[in-house]
Amino acid sequence: MSFKSLDELRAACLDLPAGSDAAADAVVRRQDTLTKPKGSLGRLESIAAWLARWQGRDIPQLDRVKVLVFAGNHGVTAQGVSAFPSEVTVQMVANFAGGGAAINQLARIAGAELDVIPLDLDRPTGDFTQGPAMDGEAFLAAVSAGYGAVTKDLDLVCFGEMGIGNTTPAAAISAALFGGGAEKWTGRGTGVDDAGLVRKITAIEAGLKRHAAAVADPLGIAAALGGRELAAILGATLAARHHGVPVLLDGFVCTAAAAPLARLHPAGLAHTLAAHVSAESGHRRLLEALRLPPLLDLGMRLGEGSGACLAVNIVRSALECHARMASFAEAGVSEK
């Protein structure tokens, strides 16, 4: 789908299919017959039901899992908000292609396909302290690119990102959507020093002030303060909902990118799970605001979809227990 206007995109964000209660209930009923005390596998049991609900299958599957990593560059890096130069984005995309990044190893171990999608890396977004990061046309193009990257034949999708400086728009979007000011949401990203952290907070405060008129509209916030890779993740999250594909969200940037959908629709992120909580300081607060409890807390802050890809192994474990455990009757084990 190629969105032609913000109104068309907003309508798509409000028209979200519900999951299958019948499929989720079928999983819960089976869980209660398996050779274990009821509920003793904890979140593994709810993960299996979540898969069934959003796949719309009584017997969920994980035959095709994909990691989508979107890459973009940011004009706000001119404000000295990152410890690394923006050319690292292009260099890391080449590293992904060569198989040398963490996500390459984690995707292989998880049995997941990996697609890396660069978005106009030679044309950074605008510096949001001076004007909007993207005009309507650029924002819709990036959202549409993300939407088109998710296909109906996937069983599970993980989103990741690469973009030097992108924890700055993530913090700005979080502050605009949930309030509390720049300092509450801003962390050190790739490792800026104290002076860099002050520059980062100052840039976000300037962006929030300049684009105060956009705060009433989550899509306006995403365009004015975001980035192409964040907009693409928003579009991909929306496509996954429309196509019946469950989503594992990665860290702070991915979660902030998808958050406008939750502000537009009260169940906008019901088809997603937070794979992990990042060491980036704003992520835990954002997950709390979205009521998305993380599966993992490993102190990671790499991005690239790394935490989401790790969590695929947990989802696979949940499905294997659900599908392959014997029932009390099958195993000849006495029930309570």
Side-chain angles (χ1 to χ4, degrees):
M1 178 180 291
S2 180
F3 296 103
K4 303 301 183 186
S5 69
L6 286 178
D7 286 342
E8 182 183 352
L9 174 58
R10 186 174 293 104
C13 292
L14 295 174
D15 183 19
L16 300 181
S20 171
D21 289 341
D25 290 346
V27 165
V28 171
R29 287 194 301 272
R30 172 168 166 76
Q31 290 282 350
D32 289 346
T33 72
L34 302 180
T35 47
K36 59 178 177 58
K38 186 180 292 188
S40 59
L41 283 175
R43 287 193 73 184
L44 291 185
E45 298 187 23
S46 63
I47 288 169
W50 169 78
L51 267 184
R53 177 182 300 281
W54 295 107
Q55 289 183 355
R57 300 186 182 110
D58 291 3
I59 303 175
Q61 63 187 45
L62 287 173
D63 296 337
R64 190 166 185 214
V65 178
K66 180 170 279 193
V67 183
L68 293 170
V69 178
F70 299 96
N73 272 323
H74 298 266
V76 74
T77 56
Q79 301 301 318
V81 298
S82 176
F84 288 85
S86 58
E87 54 262 32
V88 169
T89 304
V90 174
Q91 294 163 359
M92 280 303 300
V93 167
N95 192 28
F96 297 147
I103 190 58
N104 297 96
Q105 323 321 319
L106 295 172
R108 184 180 68 255
I109 292 298
E113 303 171 47
L114 173 63
D115 281 355
V116 179
I117 302 171
L119 299 159
D120 291 334
L121 297 185
D122 58 344
R123 193 163 57 96
T125 56
D127 178 351
F128 66 58
T129 69
Q130 307 300 311
M134 293 168 284
D135 61 19
E137 182 180 355
F139 175 66
L140 291 169
V143 170
S144 298
Y147 194 101
V150 178
T151 54
K152 295 180 180 181
D153 59 340
L154 298 178
D155 299 318
L156 179 68
V157 66
C158 306
F159 298 139
E161 42 64 37
M162 178 64 218
I164 292 301
N166 67 8
T167 58
T168 300
I173 288 171
S174 299
L177 290 176
F178 297 101
E183 189 168 356
K184 175 180 177 179
W185 298 99
T186 307
R188 294 183 183 271
T190 51
V192 293
D193 58 16
D194 289 348
L197 183 61
V198 170
R199 290 193 296 271
K200 193 171 178 180
I201 292 169
T202 300
I204 293 168
E205 288 175 342
L208 292 171
K209 182 177 180 180
R210 175 173 286 275
H211 304 292
V215 169
D217 177 16
L219 296 179
I221 289 168
L225 297 172
R228 289 187 180 89
E229 76 274 38
L230 281 80
I233 291 167
L234 175 61
T237 306
L238 177 61
R241 181 60 165 269
H242 287 165
H243 296 334
V245 181
V247 171
L248 288 175
L249 292 172
D250 192 44
F252 183 41
V253 176
C254 278
T255 309
L261 189 56
R263 298 300 276 175
L264 288 164
H265 191 293
L269 296 182
H271 64 305
T272 73
L273 290 181
H276 77 126
V277 58
S278 169
E280 183 69 9
S281 60
H283 192 211
R284 192 178 299 273
R285 294 187 182 95
L286 184 56
L287 293 179
E288 289 171 353
L290 293 168
R291 298 181 181 178
L292 288 174
L295 294 177
L296 296 168
D297 185 352
L298 298 175
M300 298 172 66
R301 54 181 179 85
L302 176 62
E304 301 180 6
S306 53
C309 209
L310 267 181
V312 171
N313 299 292
I314 295 176
V315 179
R316 288 195 184 279
S317 298
L319 183 55
E320 287 296 295
C321 287
H322 171 73
R324 297 185 183 277
M325 283 180 68
S327 69
F328 282 97
E330 291 165 343
V333 175
S334 299
E335 296 189 60
K336 185 172 70 171

